[in-house]
């Protein structure tokens, strides 16, 4: 079959890409990335071409970049989840103009066979949420609270990285099932936002010298559930405040990215005295529950009970700096790069007819 | 009422006791203990006097000795569980001659009001087992496997300190419920005993330089359950070999006694990737299950399917050296001090009539 197409690219357009230049030792730096351009590929039978709108920046890319086994080699395209729009399709199930969740990686255009692709309906929620609270990060927060932490009404649920897409989902789900969420974040501004916008009962800045005392004050009955996004010193401080039979969800270890060799963990004796349980969460185990997340949290978003924040950087060329900022914890909300506009039509090359094709 | 009595003590007998002399920094040394003698006390109404037969040596005493909050102060009697025989009784429920589990501490004689006392039947099992496999250590091993580790038939269950009273119970219960136990111990002699006598499928000496490789070889399908008695480096090595959805029972942290300040724990990233669960076990939570242990493991002992080993030191005066040996991991089997003979009668002061009084 012939390709259907949105007529939006000129013959001179090229595909800008960002590659791994070298393996970082510790936190990544802009020099660890390189840029190139290639021709925009043409879809073969069963494929479609999509343009990247939003590129998701996620800490786990750092694992791949640092992996000594070579998951990612210098010269490789940086991988990543993206929200894209289909431009040309020779795939029977996808039409030009449709919005899809793809893994285009750090580039402007990519082909897809449709595998692992999820169609997005802009009427349900803004398409960017498919990379955040209604996507994998939201699913991690939701599954960690609902399936592992299982807070009872009134129990104290502490969430680190409280304002990010994982943490804000964990904290708000905890609140909406009747628990008392207490956040941990790295700036006073984030803490204020957590309480005022996200509905945390309290939020403690872990960079303050009295962090341990403040956390204890905010959790007078001890911590029943801890959703851990960071590991390290913060985890050690939380362990000292556990309530009996506490549940700890180990979701991320931001702390560990600072060093290529594994950092030691906290002393585990408080885990024994509290008879606590610590469980590792890998979000892949819950992918079949994504529709539940979209239905439950989607409704809360529409009713105004659930909020989220995005930290959007414009331009693919700025993705390396934005990623380094994320890894330093300087983002505020879900880190996204806007690679292209949500709606085509303003540029002279765009065709309104094509848009109507969806 | 008048005291009934076994006429076994002469007027000149004194009560030998061992006290904490000073708080140890790290592992205890014999100089941390002191000895004194006092008069043998006389039971008042509702009390009985018991002579100590076996004194249990348990690593957790070290917590009390080191506790900066002063659970135990210099000059205090060293506390400890004991198997004793009642000599004189003004308690309505206890008769002279009866064997009881008591908390006499590190001394030859003590009064009791009967609180927390358990009567022992020498016909069920040797009375010393009330301090080991049929007592608190056995209960820890049993509860950790049956209620937390919950191995399925064929699953690999790794047990550290495999030949001690906790570990030998955990390992043999695992075997008897159909799992495949693999031990970790500190000498080749202990490893051989674990396999030949206790029925472990394999046992690895953690002091060998190729420990990690040997453990991996012994657990080709990964470790489904880990019963941890030690923490530290051994725990870190086990975490690197976890099977998906592994369960880790944190029971003891022998390793932590080496230092007064808390040691860091292992890196927790393998816990996440294995989706593993780590749970702290405090045996006090399972005291109501002690009769289950006595019935189940008692039957296995009688049928010859379950074995145990005791490391008995004679003479209360040798308790400090024996305790230091235990804390260095140099004991082989449940560490006990024989403070007095099981059966009175050989000394001229003993009365057979009294013995018959039970």
């Amino acid at each position: 079959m012939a390709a259907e197409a949105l007529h939006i690219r000129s013959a001179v357009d090229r595909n800008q890409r960002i590659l791994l230049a070298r393996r970082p030792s510790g936190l990544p730096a802009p020099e660890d990335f390189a840029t190139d351009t290639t021709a925009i590929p043409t879809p073969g039978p069963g494929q479609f071409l999509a343009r990247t709108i939003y590129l998701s920046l996620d800490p786990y890319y750092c694992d791949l970049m640092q992996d000594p086994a070579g998951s990612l080699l210098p010269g490789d395209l940086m991988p990543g989840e993206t929200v894209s729009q289909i431009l040309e399709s020779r795939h029977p199930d996808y039409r030009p103009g449709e919005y899809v969740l793809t893994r285009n990686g750090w580039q402007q255009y990519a082909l897809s066979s449709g595998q692992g692709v999820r169609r997005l309906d802009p009427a349900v929620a803004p398409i960017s949420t498919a990379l955040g609270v209604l996507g994998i990060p939201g699913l991690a927060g939701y599954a960690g609270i609902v399936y592992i932490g299982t807070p009872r009404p009134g129990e104290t649920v502490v969430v680190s990285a409280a304002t990010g897409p994982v943490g804000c989902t964990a904290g708000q789900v905890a609140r909406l099932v009747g628990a008392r969420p207490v956040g941990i974040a790295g700036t006073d501004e984030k803490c204020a936002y957590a309480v005022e916008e996200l509905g945390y009962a309290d939020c403690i800045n872990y960079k303050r010298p009295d962090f341990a005392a403040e956390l204890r004050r905010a959790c007078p009955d001890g911590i029943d559930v801890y959703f851990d996004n960071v590991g390290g010193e913060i985890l050690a401080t939380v362990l000292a405040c556990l309530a009996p039979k506490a549940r700890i969800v180990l979701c991320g270890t931001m702390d560990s990215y600072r060093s290529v060799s594994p950092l030691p963990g906290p002393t585990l004796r408080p885990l024994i005295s509290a008879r606590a349980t610590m469980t590792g969460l890998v979000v892949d185990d819950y992918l079949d529950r994504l529709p539940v997340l979209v239905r439950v949290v989607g409704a809360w978003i529409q009713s105004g009970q659930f909020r989220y924040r995005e930290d959007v950087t414009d331009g693919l060329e700025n993705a390396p700096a934005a990623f380094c900022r994320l890894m330093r914890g300087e983002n505020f909300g879900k880190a996204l790069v806007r690679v292209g506009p949500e709606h085509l039509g303003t540029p002279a090359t765009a065709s309104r007819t094509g848009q109507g094709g969806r």
Side-chain angles (χ1 to χ4, degrees), chain A residues 15-336:
Chain A
N15 179 28
Q16 189 186 357
R17 313 190 307 161
I18 296 181
L19 318 175
L20 179 68
R22 64 177 191 198
R23 192 171 295 153
S25 56
L27 289 182
E31 303 79 59
D32 298 328
F33 300 88
T35 305
D36 78 353
T37 57
T38 61
I40 299 174
T42 301
Q47 291 184 322
F48 63 75
L49 173 72
R51 69 177 182 95
T52 306
I53 300 172
Y54 291 108
L55 165 65
S56 179
L57 299 180
D58 294 282
Y60 78 86
Y61 302 163
C62 210
D63 281 326
L64 307 176
M65 294 171 74
Q66 291 176 347
D67 181 11
S71 313
L72 202 61
L73 295 173
D76 284 350
L77 177 71
M78 282 292 298
E81 272 204 314
T82 45
V83 164
S84 308
Q85 188 178 34
I86 297 175
L87 296 179
E88 302 175 19
S89 180
R90 295 184 67 185
H91 190 292
D93 299 337
Y94 291 97
R95 296 276 80 76
E98 287 192 305
Y99 293 100
V100 282
L101 184 73
T102 49
R103 291 192 64 84
N104 281 8
W106 295 31
Q107 59 183 342
Q108 291 175 299
Y109 299 92
L111 296 180
S112 169
S113 67
Q115 215 197 343
V117 166
R118 187 156 65 90
R119 193 177 273 107
L120 302 176
D121 181 352
V124 167
I127 54 175
S128 60
T129 58
L131 298 170
V133 293
L134 294 185
I136 296 300
L139 185 62
Y142 184 85
I145 294 296
V146 171
Y147 303 119
I148 301 179
T150 61
R152 282 177 277 273
E155 283 193 332
T156 297
V157 177
V158 170
V159 178
S160 55
T163 61
V166 180
C168 94
T169 306
Q172 291 182 95
V173 169
R175 168 172 60 77
L176 288 159
V177 300
R180 179 175 171 274
V182 171
I184 296 173
T187 68
D188 289 348
E189 186 193 7
K190 288 179 182 177
C191 288
Y193 169 78
V195 172
E196 289 158 22
E197 296 291 323
L198 302 178
Y200 282 89
D202 207 336
C203 187
I204 317 296
N205 182 345
Y206 70 85
K207 289 182 181 157
R208 288 187 173 274
D210 56 351
F211 166 56
E214 284 293 290
L215 184 66
R216 206 172 272 280
R217 183 197 52 71
C219 305
D221 301 324
I223 296 167
D224 299 292
V225 175
Y226 175 47
F227 190 103
D228 181 33
N229 277 306
V230 294
E233 281 298 314
I234 297 175
L235 175 57
T237 304
V238 168
L239 290 188
C241 305
L242 294 181
K245 306 264 178 190
R247 289 83 72 197
I248 297 153
V249 183
L250 286 184
C251 179
T253 55
M254 272 301 272
D255 199 71
S256 70
Y257 296 119
R258 291 175 213 285
S259 155
V260 168
S261 58
L263 293 172
T267 177
L268 295 174
R269 296 188 75 182
L271 206 66
I272 300 184
S273 45
R275 303 91 156 116
T277 291
M278 189 182 264
T279 303
L281 166 66
V282 174
V283 69
D284 300 8
D285 297 346
Y286 299 91
L287 292 180
D288 59 347
R289 254 64 67 94
L290 191 61
V292 180
L293 172 82
V294 172
R295 217 163 299 141
V296 172
V297 173
W300 283 332
I301 291 175
Q302 288 181 347
S303 67
Q305 298 175 277
F306 184 107
R307 301 192 184 174
Y308 62 93
R309 183 175 174 126
E310 293 170 341
D311 184 320
V312 181
T313 300
D314 271 299
L316 179 64
E317 65 281 11
N318 297 316
F323 184 64
C324 297
R325 228 160 51 83
L326 167 70
M327 295 310 298
R328 290 193 306 267
E330 295 170 9
N331 62 308
F332 185 0
K334 168 63 195 168
L336 295 173

